[in-house]
Amino acid sequence: MTTLAVTGHMDLTNGTVSLVRAALEELLKGYEPGALVGVSCIAAGTDSLFAEAVLERGGRLVVVTPARDYRARKVKLQHAELYDRLVEAASEVVVMPFDTASREAYEAAGKELLRRADRFVAVWDGVPMQPGGHGGTAATVTEARDAGLEVDVIWPEGAERG
């Protein structure tokens, strides 16, 4: 069993979505469907693309939700249908012990991803974390590497952020 967790940008351009989707499908071909677990917070963008790719590959999906109010307060209308579908398809949903989505809740969710992962997938443009910065894709990549996890970075040629 291999457990892959994901981090990545939310603000992918429309053209980049198809590039990332294809790159994720290619990466996941290397894993046996019955032995693949994907862990994601299923936010818009990378997280949901990864979750969809894991399910399409026949893997199991574990959803990590930062707080009890996350769906109501943070999931935008245009993402709600996909979010709900992914929660329904998940084999496990972990809700972090926070009432309200906050920096602390997001950091706890990130730590839960790290705790569960054998390996990390990062859809990342490679731009390093700014000095004094917190959170974000670059910070999560650094945390995963510091924890000794291998990180597969995906940023296809022509990919852009919106």
Side-chain angles (χ1 to χ4, degrees):
M1 186 76 55
T2 301
T3 301
L4 302 175
V6 68
T7 188
H9 302 302
M10 295 176 70
D11 59 347
L12 304 174
T13 64
N14 288 337
T16 297
V17 167
S18 61
L19 296 172
V20 168
R21 184 175 279 125
L24 287 168
E25 289 170 3
E26 187 63 32
L27 175 76
L28 295 180
K29 281 182 187 175
Y31 296 92
E32 289 298 318
L36 174 63
V37 177
V39 185
S40 174
C41 292
I42 64 170
T46 295
D47 286 9
S48 291
L49 289 171
F50 172 80
E52 288 180 304
V54 165
L55 291 170
E56 288 168 10
R57 178 75 183 132
R60 290 185 326 121
L61 175 63
V62 175
V63 170
V64 177
T65 302
R68 287 182 273 283
D69 74 346
Y70 181 81
R71 167 64 173 85
R73 288 191 57 235
K74 296 297 182 178
V75 176
K76 294 184 174 22
L77 184 60
Q78 64 268 28
H79 182 59
E81 182 180 333
L82 176 57
Y83 182 91
D84 292 342
R85 187 167 45 84
L86 292 171
V87 166
E88 183 67 28
S91 61
E92 181 182 358
V93 177
V94 177
V95 180
M96 301 309 295
F98 297 90
D99 290 327
T100 302
S102 63
R103 178 178 298 229
E104 184 182 15
Y106 293 125
E107 288 175 0
K111 287 183 184 352
E112 183 67 11
L113 292 177
L114 287 171
R115 187 184 74 73
R116 289 175 172 261
D118 298 320
R119 189 174 189 97
F120 240 83
V121 176
V123 176
W124 178 40
D125 62 6
V127 175
M129 185 172 53
Q130 300 303 311
H134 298 284
T137 303
T140 304
V141 168
T142 298
E143 289 173 20
R145 288 178 173 158
D146 288 350
L149 294 170
E150 292 289 328
V151 179
D152 295 304
V153 176
I154 293 175
W155 195 250
E157 187 171 328
E160 298 176 314
R161 294 175 65 186

